[in-house]
Amino acid sequence: MGRWQDGRGRLIVHGEREGFAVPLEIASSYRARTKGLLGRDSVDGALLLSPAGSVHTFRMRFPIDVAYLDRRLRVIAVRTMKPGRLGLPRLRSRHVLEAEAGAMEGWGVRVGVRVEIAVETTAPPLPGRHHR
């Protein structure tokens, strides 16, 4: 859990298919959360918006699955949204996952399931070396 930075990782779904992993983009800055999936024709895996309690699909090009997560990364609601919709805010939602419509069912993401975020880390520069 905790605070993430914009980047990549894996979404690990703890459920029927224990430890099932999906490619994940993390959007935690205001700019990245605002852009989200706008202007794209698809998404490879899922997008995590954090923090987030609701989403909209205005100016989106394809329908999406939306999973609302509580602070412990447990799924509290899953909805499929067509383009041009405004999602209702979820009071306990702290994070939102977005994926192409139909994907989450195949991954086993449903109410009550816990997910985990594995962040891809990049090695820090060695001391005394300057990288440009």
Side-chain angles (χ1 to χ4, degrees):
M1 290 182 288
R3 181 97 169 112
W4 298 287
Q5 294 183 353
D6 294 347
R8 297 196 170 275
R10 288 173 312 170
L11 172 70
I12 302 166
V13 181
H14 297 284
E16 296 170 4
R17 301 166 67 181
E18 190 61 35
F20 182 72
V22 176
L24 180 70
E25 292 179 51
I26 301 168
S28 63
S29 69
Y30 177 78
R31 184 176 187 168
R33 288 191 325 265
T34 301
K35 183 174 183 203
L37 296 176
L38 296 177
R40 298 192 201 183
D41 293 319
S42 66
V43 59
D44 179 26
L47 173 69
L48 173 72
L49 304 170
S50 179
S54 66
V55 296
H56 69 82
T57 58
F58 298 116
R59 298 188 346 235
M60 288 193 124
R61 297 179 180 170
F62 57 97
I64 60 171
D65 284 346
V66 178
Y68 298 87
L69 309 176
D70 68 12
R71 62 187 174 94
R72 293 191 175 113
L73 301 181
R74 190 164 303 275
V75 178
I76 58 175
V78 180
R79 299 287 180 261
T80 299
M81 294 177 65
K82 295 178 181 177
R85 302 292 195 268
L86 178 62
L88 295 174
R90 305 289 168 173
L91 293 179
R92 296 180 340 203
S93 178
R94 298 294 178 266
H95 319 281
V96 173
L97 285 171
E98 296 180 342
E100 289 189 29
M104 289 191 189
E105 182 178 356
W107 300 337
V109 174
R110 63 184 185 293
V111 173
V113 168
R114 190 178 64 80
V115 300
E116 182 180 338
I117 308 302
V119 178
E120 286 183 9
T121 58
T122 56
L126 296 173
R129 298 206 180 168
H130 300 282
H131 291 82
R132 293 186 193 260

mmCIF file of all heavy atoms in Angstrom, residues 54-88:
data_model
loop_
_atom_site.group_PDB
_atom_site.id
_atom_site.type_symbol
_atom_site.label_atom_id
_atom_site.label_comp_id
_atom_site.label_asym_id
_atom_site.label_seq_id
_atom_site.Cartn_x
_atom_site.Cartn_y
_atom_site.Cartn_z
ATOM 1 N N SER A 54 -13.500 8.505 -7.695
ATOM 2 C CA SER A 54 -14.464 8.405 -8.786
ATOM 3 C C SER A 54 -13.748 8.704 -10.100
ATOM 4 O O SER A 54 -12.633 9.214 -10.099
ATOM 5 C CB SER A 54 -15.629 9.375 -8.597
ATOM 6 O OG SER A 54 -15.171 10.710 -8.696
ATOM 7 N N VAL A 55 -14.405 8.360 -11.201
ATOM 8 C CA VAL A 55 -13.832 8.599 -12.528
ATOM 9 C C VAL A 55 -14.931 9.013 -13.496
ATOM 10 O O VAL A 55 -16.118 8.904 -13.187
ATOM 11 C CB VAL A 55 -13.111 7.336 -13.087
ATOM 12 C CG1 VAL A 55 -11.925 6.959 -12.224
ATOM 13 C CG2 VAL A 55 -14.064 6.167 -13.226
ATOM 14 N N HIS A 56 -14.508 9.469 -14.655
ATOM 15 C CA HIS A 56 -15.446 9.760 -15.743
ATOM 16 C C HIS A 56 -14.856 9.186 -17.024
ATOM 17 O O HIS A 56 -13.671 8.861 -17.084
ATOM 18 C CB HIS A 56 -15.692 11.268 -15.890
ATOM 19 C CG HIS A 56 -14.492 12.014 -16.385
ATOM 20 N ND1 HIS A 56 -14.172 12.081 -17.725
ATOM 21 C CD2 HIS A 56 -13.531 12.702 -15.732
ATOM 22 C CE1 HIS A 56 -13.062 12.792 -17.871
ATOM 23 N NE2 HIS A 56 -12.649 13.175 -16.665
ATOM 24 N N THR A 57 -15.693 9.045 -18.025
ATOM 25 C CA THR A 57 -15.226 8.519 -19.315
ATOM 26 C C THR A 57 -15.489 9.503 -20.454
ATOM 27 O O THR A 57 -15.607 9.097 -21.605
ATOM 28 C CB THR A 57 -15.874 7.153 -19.628
ATOM 29 O OG1 THR A 57 -17.303 7.308 -19.627
ATOM 30 C CG2 THR A 57 -15.463 6.096 -18.611
ATOM 31 N N PHE A 58 -15.579 10.786 -20.121
ATOM 32 C CA PHE A 58 -15.754 11.789 -21.167
ATOM 33 C C PHE A 58 -14.507 11.805 -22.040
ATOM 34 O O PHE A 58 -13.385 11.737 -21.544
ATOM 35 C CB PHE A 58 -16.005 13.179 -20.563
ATOM 36 C CG PHE A 58 -17.255 13.242 -19.743
ATOM 37 C CD1 PHE A 58 -17.208 13.504 -18.391
ATOM 38 C CD2 PHE A 58 -18.494 13.015 -20.335
ATOM 39 C CE1 PHE A 58 -18.360 13.546 -17.630
ATOM 40 C CE2 PHE A 58 -19.654 13.057 -19.581
ATOM 41 C CZ PHE A 58 -19.588 13.320 -18.227
ATOM 42 N N ARG A 59 -14.681 11.898 -23.360
ATOM 43 C CA ARG A 59 -13.607 11.922 -24.358
ATOM 44 C C ARG A 59 -12.818 10.607 -24.422
ATOM 45 O O ARG A 59 -11.724 10.578 -24.962
ATOM 46 C CB ARG A 59 -12.673 13.114 -24.132
ATOM 47 C CG ARG A 59 -13.370 14.444 -24.272
ATOM 48 C CD ARG A 59 -12.454 15.642 -24.242
ATOM 49 N NE ARG A 59 -11.115 15.392 -23.770
ATOM 50 C CZ ARG A 59 -10.533 16.045 -22.776
ATOM 51 N NH1 ARG A 59 -11.172 16.984 -22.145
ATOM 52 N NH2 ARG A 59 -9.306 15.772 -22.425
ATOM 53 N N MET A 60 -13.354 9.537 -23.880
ATOM 54 C CA MET A 60 -12.686 8.240 -24.003
ATOM 55 C C MET A 60 -13.159 7.575 -25.291
ATOM 56 O O MET A 60 -14.262 7.837 -25.769
ATOM 57 C CB MET A 60 -12.992 7.346 -22.811
ATOM 58 C CG MET A 60 -12.300 7.806 -21.568
ATOM 59 S SD MET A 60 -12.398 6.526 -20.345
ATOM 60 C CE MET A 60 -10.691 6.324 -20.011
ATOM 61 N N ARG A 61 -12.317 6.689 -25.805
ATOM 62 C CA ARG A 61 -12.603 6.058 -27.093
ATOM 63 C C ARG A 61 -13.148 4.646 -26.975
ATOM 64 O O ARG A 61 -13.542 4.055 -27.977
ATOM 65 C CB ARG A 61 -11.321 6.022 -27.923
ATOM 66 C CG ARG A 61 -10.797 7.393 -28.258
ATOM 67 C CD ARG A 61 -9.529 7.311 -29.047
ATOM 68 N NE ARG A 61 -9.044 8.643 -29.368
ATOM 69 C CZ ARG A 61 -7.870 8.890 -29.878
ATOM 70 N NH1 ARG A 61 -7.037 7.899 -30.134
ATOM 71 N NH2 ARG A 61 -7.502 10.127 -30.135
ATOM 72 N N PHE A 62 -13.145 4.075 -25.774
ATOM 73 C CA PHE A 62 -13.596 2.697 -25.613
ATOM 74 C C PHE A 62 -14.182 2.512 -24.212
ATOM 75 O O PHE A 62 -13.847 3.251 -23.281
ATOM 76 C CB PHE A 62 -12.441 1.712 -25.855
ATOM 77 C CG PHE A 62 -11.239 1.935 -24.966
ATOM 78 C CD1 PHE A 62 -11.055 1.200 -23.809
ATOM 79 C CD2 PHE A 62 -10.266 2.871 -25.302
ATOM 80 C CE1 PHE A 62 -9.951 1.397 -23.003
ATOM 81 C CE2 PHE A 62 -9.146 3.069 -24.509
ATOM 82 C CZ PHE A 62 -8.993 2.330 -23.340
ATOM 83 N N PRO A 63 -15.083 1.526 -24.047
ATOM 84 C CA PRO A 63 -15.640 1.256 -22.719
ATOM 85 C C PRO A 63 -14.576 0.642 -21.805
ATOM 86 O O PRO A 63 -13.674 -0.059 -22.270
ATOM 87 C CB PRO A 63 -16.781 0.274 -22.986
ATOM 88 C CG PRO A 63 -16.552 -0.259 -24.342
ATOM 89 C CD PRO A 63 -15.659 0.686 -25.084
ATOM 90 N N ILE A 64 -14.705 0.918 -20.500
ATOM 91 C CA ILE A 64 -13.714 0.415 -19.551
ATOM 92 C C ILE A 64 -14.388 -0.260 -18.355
ATOM 93 O O ILE A 64 -15.531 0.025 -18.026
ATOM 94 C CB ILE A 64 -12.794 1.540 -19.025
ATOM 95 C CG1 ILE A 64 -13.591 2.635 -18.306
ATOM 96 C CG2 ILE A 64 -11.949 2.115 -20.146
ATOM 97 C CD1 ILE A 64 -12.738 3.664 -17.571
ATOM 98 N N ASP A 65 -13.640 -1.164 -17.730
ATOM 99 C CA ASP A 65 -13.993 -1.692 -16.419
ATOM 100 C C ASP A 65 -13.342 -0.780 -15.391
ATOM 101 O O ASP A 65 -12.196 -0.352 -15.570
ATOM 102 C CB ASP A 65 -13.442 -3.106 -16.216
ATOM 103 C CG ASP A 65 -14.240 -4.172 -16.956
ATOM 104 O OD1 ASP A 65 -15.363 -3.881 -17.404
ATOM 105 O OD2 ASP A 65 -13.723 -5.303 -17.079
ATOM 106 N N VAL A 66 -14.059 -0.508 -14.321
ATOM 107 C CA VAL A 66 -13.553 0.332 -13.243
ATOM 108 C C VAL A 66 -13.720 -0.438 -11.935
ATOM 109 O O VAL A 66 -14.821 -0.884 -11.623
ATOM 110 C CB VAL A 66 -14.336 1.663 -13.164
ATOM 111 C CG1 VAL A 66 -13.848 2.512 -12.003
ATOM 112 C CG2 VAL A 66 -14.247 2.420 -14.472
ATOM 113 N N ALA A 67 -12.622 -0.603 -11.198
ATOM 114 C CA ALA A 67 -12.683 -1.244 -9.882
ATOM 115 C C ALA A 67 -12.272 -0.209 -8.841
ATOM 116 O O ALA A 67 -11.210 0.412 -8.957
ATOM 117 C CB ALA A 67 -11.761 -2.450 -9.821
ATOM 118 N N TYR A 68 -13.128 -0.017 -7.848
ATOM 119 C CA TYR A 68 -12.852 0.910 -6.758
ATOM 120 C C TYR A 68 -12.218 0.117 -5.613
ATOM 121 O O TYR A 68 -12.746 -0.924 -5.212
ATOM 122 C CB TYR A 68 -14.150 1.563 -6.285
ATOM 123 C CG TYR A 68 -14.830 2.375 -7.366
ATOM 124 C CD1 TYR A 68 -15.716 1.790 -8.259
ATOM 125 C CD2 TYR A 68 -14.576 3.735 -7.490
ATOM 126 C CE1 TYR A 68 -16.336 2.538 -9.255
ATOM 127 C CE2 TYR A 68 -15.196 4.492 -8.471
ATOM 128 C CZ TYR A 68 -16.073 3.880 -9.346
ATOM 129 O OH TYR A 68 -16.676 4.623 -10.327
ATOM 130 N N LEU A 69 -11.090 0.619 -5.097
ATOM 131 C CA LEU A 69 -10.350 -0.075 -4.045
ATOM 132 C C LEU A 69 -10.354 0.741 -2.763
ATOM 133 O O LEU A 69 -10.214 1.965 -2.797
ATOM 134 C CB LEU A 69 -8.894 -0.290 -4.469
ATOM 135 C CG LEU A 69 -8.643 -0.923 -5.841
ATOM 136 C CD1 LEU A 69 -7.153 -0.956 -6.133
ATOM 137 C CD2 LEU A 69 -9.246 -2.303 -5.910
ATOM 138 N N ASP A 70 -10.458 0.054 -1.622
ATOM 139 C CA ASP A 70 -10.361 0.757 -0.342
ATOM 140 C C ASP A 70 -8.888 0.915 0.044
ATOM 141 O O ASP A 70 -7.995 0.542 -0.708
ATOM 142 C CB ASP A 70 -11.184 0.059 0.745
ATOM 143 C CG ASP A 70 -10.645 -1.304 1.159
ATOM 144 O OD1 ASP A 70 -9.505 -1.672 0.794
ATOM 145 O OD2 ASP A 70 -11.380 -2.008 1.885
ATOM 146 N N ARG A 71 -8.631 1.448 1.226
ATOM 147 C CA ARG A 71 -7.248 1.721 1.625
ATOM 148 C C ARG A 71 -6.411 0.468 1.798
ATOM 149 O O ARG A 71 -5.190 0.525 1.778
ATOM 150 C CB ARG A 71 -7.218 2.581 2.888
ATOM 151 C CG ARG A 71 -7.842 1.940 4.091
ATOM 152 C CD ARG A 71 -7.924 2.947 5.245
ATOM 153 N NE ARG A 71 -8.645 2.376 6.355
ATOM 154 C CZ ARG A 71 -8.059 1.763 7.369
ATOM 155 N NH1 ARG A 71 -6.747 1.675 7.415
ATOM 156 N NH2 ARG A 71 -8.782 1.260 8.350
ATOM 157 N N ARG A 72 -7.066 -0.683 1.957
ATOM 158 C CA ARG A 72 -6.339 -1.952 2.083
ATOM 159 C C ARG A 72 -6.241 -2.698 0.754
ATOM 160 O O ARG A 72 -5.876 -3.862 0.724
ATOM 161 C CB ARG A 72 -7.019 -2.827 3.126
ATOM 162 C CG ARG A 72 -6.914 -2.253 4.522
ATOM 163 C CD ARG A 72 -7.360 -3.277 5.540
ATOM 164 N NE ARG A 72 -7.148 -2.743 6.869
ATOM 165 C CZ ARG A 72 -8.112 -2.441 7.712
ATOM 166 N NH1 ARG A 72 -9.375 -2.625 7.353
ATOM 167 N NH2 ARG A 72 -7.834 -1.972 8.901
ATOM 168 N N LEU A 73 -6.607 -2.023 -0.328
ATOM 169 C CA LEU A 73 -6.572 -2.567 -1.693
ATOM 170 C C LEU A 73 -7.552 -3.728 -1.878
ATOM 171 O O LEU A 73 -7.312 -4.650 -2.644
ATOM 172 C CB LEU A 73 -5.149 -2.986 -2.090
ATOM 173 C CG LEU A 73 -4.110 -1.873 -2.055
ATOM 174 C CD1 LEU A 73 -2.754 -2.397 -2.495
ATOM 175 C CD2 LEU A 73 -4.540 -0.712 -2.939
ATOM 176 N N ARG A 74 -8.678 -3.642 -1.188
ATOM 177 C CA ARG A 74 -9.751 -4.612 -1.378
ATOM 178 C C ARG A 74 -10.771 -3.977 -2.317
ATOM 179 O O ARG A 74 -11.098 -2.799 -2.184
ATOM 180 C CB ARG A 74 -10.391 -4.973 -0.048
ATOM 181 C CG ARG A 74 -11.351 -6.145 -0.163
ATOM 182 C CD ARG A 74 -11.694 -6.751 1.174
ATOM 183 N NE ARG A 74 -10.536 -7.197 1.936
ATOM 184 C CZ ARG A 74 -9.933 -8.388 1.809
ATOM 185 N NH1 ARG A 74 -10.368 -9.254 0.921
ATOM 186 N NH2 ARG A 74 -8.910 -8.705 2.557
ATOM 187 N N VAL A 75 -11.269 -4.753 -3.262
ATOM 188 C CA VAL A 75 -12.231 -4.252 -4.248
ATOM 189 C C VAL A 75 -13.581 -4.039 -3.566
ATOM 190 O O VAL A 75 -14.131 -4.969 -2.966
ATOM 191 C CB VAL A 75 -12.372 -5.235 -5.429
ATOM 192 C CG1 VAL A 75 -13.401 -4.733 -6.437
ATOM 193 C CG2 VAL A 75 -11.023 -5.468 -6.103
ATOM 194 N N ILE A 76 -14.107 -2.804 -3.651
ATOM 195 C CA ILE A 76 -15.403 -2.509 -3.036
ATOM 196 C C ILE A 76 -16.517 -2.350 -4.073
ATOM 197 O O ILE A 76 -17.688 -2.411 -3.715
ATOM 198 C CB ILE A 76 -15.330 -1.268 -2.120
ATOM 199 C CG1 ILE A 76 -14.846 -0.039 -2.871
ATOM 200 C CG2 ILE A 76 -14.456 -1.555 -0.914
ATOM 201 C CD1 ILE A 76 -14.865 1.248 -2.047
ATOM 202 N N ALA A 77 -16.152 -2.186 -5.342
ATOM 203 C CA ALA A 77 -17.158 -2.105 -6.414
ATOM 204 C C ALA A 77 -16.458 -2.272 -7.755
ATOM 205 O O ALA A 77 -15.292 -1.881 -7.908
ATOM 206 C CB ALA A 77 -17.898 -0.777 -6.381
ATOM 207 N N VAL A 78 -17.149 -2.867 -8.715
ATOM 208 C CA VAL A 78 -16.653 -2.992 -10.085
ATOM 209 C C VAL A 78 -17.792 -2.593 -11.016
ATOM 210 O O VAL A 78 -18.915 -3.055 -10.859
ATOM 211 C CB VAL A 78 -16.198 -4.436 -10.411
ATOM 212 C CG1 VAL A 78 -15.680 -4.528 -11.840
ATOM 213 C CG2 VAL A 78 -15.139 -4.918 -9.428
ATOM 214 N N ARG A 79 -17.481 -1.726 -11.963
ATOM 215 C CA ARG A 79 -18.479 -1.264 -12.928
ATOM 216 C C ARG A 79 -17.866 -1.247 -14.323
ATOM 217 O O ARG A 79 -16.667 -1.020 -14.467
ATOM 218 C CB ARG A 79 -18.953 0.160 -12.603
ATOM 219 C CG ARG A 79 -19.623 0.316 -11.265
ATOM 220 C CD ARG A 79 -21.015 -0.314 -11.286
ATOM 221 N NE ARG A 79 -21.669 -0.163 -10.011
ATOM 222 C CZ ARG A 79 -21.728 -1.099 -9.072
ATOM 223 N NH1 ARG A 79 -21.129 -2.249 -9.254
ATOM 224 N NH2 ARG A 79 -22.372 -0.904 -7.956
ATOM 225 N N THR A 80 -18.697 -1.427 -15.333
ATOM 226 C CA THR A 80 -18.274 -1.210 -16.714
ATOM 227 C C THR A 80 -18.902 0.100 -17.149
ATOM 228 O O THR A 80 -20.103 0.320 -16.946
ATOM 229 C CB THR A 80 -18.729 -2.368 -17.624
ATOM 230 O OG1 THR A 80 -18.129 -3.578 -17.158
ATOM 231 C CG2 THR A 80 -18.312 -2.117 -19.075
ATOM 232 N N MET A 81 -18.076 0.980 -17.713
ATOM 233 C CA MET A 81 -18.550 2.307 -18.105
ATOM 234 C C MET A 81 -18.315 2.539 -19.588
ATOM 235 O O MET A 81 -17.213 2.336 -20.084
ATOM 236 C CB MET A 81 -17.832 3.384 -17.291
ATOM 237 C CG MET A 81 -18.143 3.360 -15.812
ATOM 238 S SD MET A 81 -17.211 4.591 -14.864
ATOM 239 C CE MET A 81 -17.865 6.116 -15.547
ATOM 240 N N LYS A 82 -19.355 2.977 -20.276
ATOM 241 C CA LYS A 82 -19.242 3.371 -21.679
ATOM 242 C C LYS A 82 -18.637 4.771 -21.740
ATOM 243 O O LYS A 82 -18.708 5.527 -20.771
ATOM 244 C CB LYS A 82 -20.620 3.378 -22.334
ATOM 245 C CG LYS A 82 -21.254 2.025 -22.424
ATOM 246 C CD LYS A 82 -22.631 2.136 -23.031
ATOM 247 C CE LYS A 82 -23.299 0.771 -23.095
ATOM 248 N NZ LYS A 82 -24.664 0.841 -23.621
ATOM 249 N N PRO A 83 -18.088 5.156 -22.893
ATOM 250 C CA PRO A 83 -17.591 6.531 -23.045
ATOM 251 C C PRO A 83 -18.700 7.548 -22.784
ATOM 252 O O PRO A 83 -19.875 7.294 -23.056
ATOM 253 C CB PRO A 83 -17.131 6.580 -24.503
ATOM 254 C CG PRO A 83 -16.778 5.157 -24.823
ATOM 255 C CD PRO A 83 -17.797 4.334 -24.074
ATOM 256 N N GLY A 84 -18.308 8.711 -22.239
ATOM 257 C CA GLY A 84 -19.249 9.790 -22.006
ATOM 258 C C GLY A 84 -20.054 9.677 -20.726
ATOM 259 O O GLY A 84 -21.101 10.295 -20.597
ATOM 260 N N ARG A 85 -19.573 8.905 -19.758
ATOM 261 C CA ARG A 85 -20.299 8.714 -18.497
ATOM 262 C C ARG A 85 -19.541 9.330 -17.320
ATOM 263 O O ARG A 85 -18.329 9.477 -17.350
ATOM 264 C CB ARG A 85 -20.516 7.227 -18.198
ATOM 265 C CG ARG A 85 -21.262 6.458 -19.265
ATOM 266 C CD ARG A 85 -22.718 6.905 -19.340
ATOM 267 N NE ARG A 85 -23.557 5.993 -20.077
ATOM 268 C CZ ARG A 85 -23.818 6.070 -21.367
ATOM 269 N NH1 ARG A 85 -23.255 7.013 -22.086
ATOM 270 N NH2 ARG A 85 -24.608 5.220 -21.945
ATOM 271 N N LEU A 86 -20.272 9.635 -16.263
ATOM 272 C CA LEU A 86 -19.703 10.133 -15.017
ATOM 273 C C LEU A 86 -19.981 9.089 -13.942
ATOM 274 O O LEU A 86 -21.141 8.772 -13.665
ATOM 275 C CB LEU A 86 -20.340 11.473 -14.626
ATOM 276 C CG LEU A 86 -19.891 12.094 -13.315
ATOM 277 C CD1 LEU A 86 -18.400 12.411 -13.363
ATOM 278 C CD2 LEU A 86 -20.694 13.356 -13.030
ATOM 279 N N GLY A 87 -18.935 8.528 -13.360
ATOM 280 C CA GLY A 87 -19.093 7.513 -12.321
ATOM 281 C C GLY A 87 -19.444 8.144 -10.986
ATOM 282 O O GLY A 87 -19.004 9.249 -10.671
ATOM 283 N N LEU A 88 -20.238 7.438 -10.200
ATOM 284 C CA LEU A 88 -20.587 7.916 -8.869
ATOM 285 C C LEU A 88 -19.392 7.781 -7.934
ATOM 286 O O LEU A 88 -18.685 6.777 -7.974
ATOM 287 C CB LEU A 88 -21.754 7.091 -8.305
ATOM 288 C CG LEU A 88 -23.074 7.207 -9.046
ATOM 289 C CD1 LEU A 88 -24.085 6.219 -8.465
ATOM 290 C CD2 LEU A 88 -23.606 8.627 -8.946
#
